Amino acid sequence: AQSVTQPDIHITVSEGASLELRCNYSYGATPYLFWYVQSPGQGLQLLLKYFSGDTLVQGIKGFEAEFKRSQSSFNLRKPSVHWSDAAEYFCAVGVLLAGGTSYGKLTFGQGTILTVHP
Amino acid sequence: DTGVSQDPRHKITKRGQNVTFRCDPISEHNRLYWYRQTLGQGPEFLTYFQNEAQLEKSRLLSDRFSAERPKGSFSTLEIQRTEQGDSAMYLCASSSPRQAINEKLFFGSGTQLSVL
């Protein structure tokens, strides 16, 4: 069975500092990996995803993530954090659902809460 | 595009009561998903519909839980004989009919259930 581990429950950074959120996955096949962000009272929003190809993927809001198969990792990075980035971030691995038409069966990590200091 | 709408936003109930939640997906989306999120955890997959057909259910979905999508549009999730362990945020998501690798899920804001 697949699993996702986010080792850091809570991270605090200063505005303008760089950010890296860690994600490790366990999956028997080629993983389909995602990063989502959840702000209070808001739905989960997709930041980026990796399926194949270039291991460095760009997402929205200036985020990027790098897939490293040898380390089973998919870490999220941002060079300069803004106060509006404060939220909870989830890494997830997608599994192909019955019918083979959807990867919407996501296994999420427990999340990393990001606090941004001014 | 008005987004995925869930109703109610909050539900407080007593143990043993039945509750029903509603999800209205984005209008052209034929795929619909239910997830459950408990405090301090990531969301967990519950079930998946393609149009009106329920194609997959998690073993988390005990026999007290039932989900329907009768006309392939809105969906309901009913919990019978609620237990305190059912207290969680119930999330709905939808996606449009496109190739799986290009799929993008849109999540609603969820229904927060508290069982007293």
Side-chain angles (χ1 to χ4, degrees), chain A residues 32 101-106, chain B residues 31 33 35 50 56 101 103:
Chain A
Y32 192 14
T101 57
S102 170
Y103 280 97
K105 184 177 181 180
L106 303 174
Chain B
R31 298 169 183 161
Y33 313 81
Y35 281 79
Q50 183 167 303
E56 188 154 340
I101 61 172
E103 183 180 25

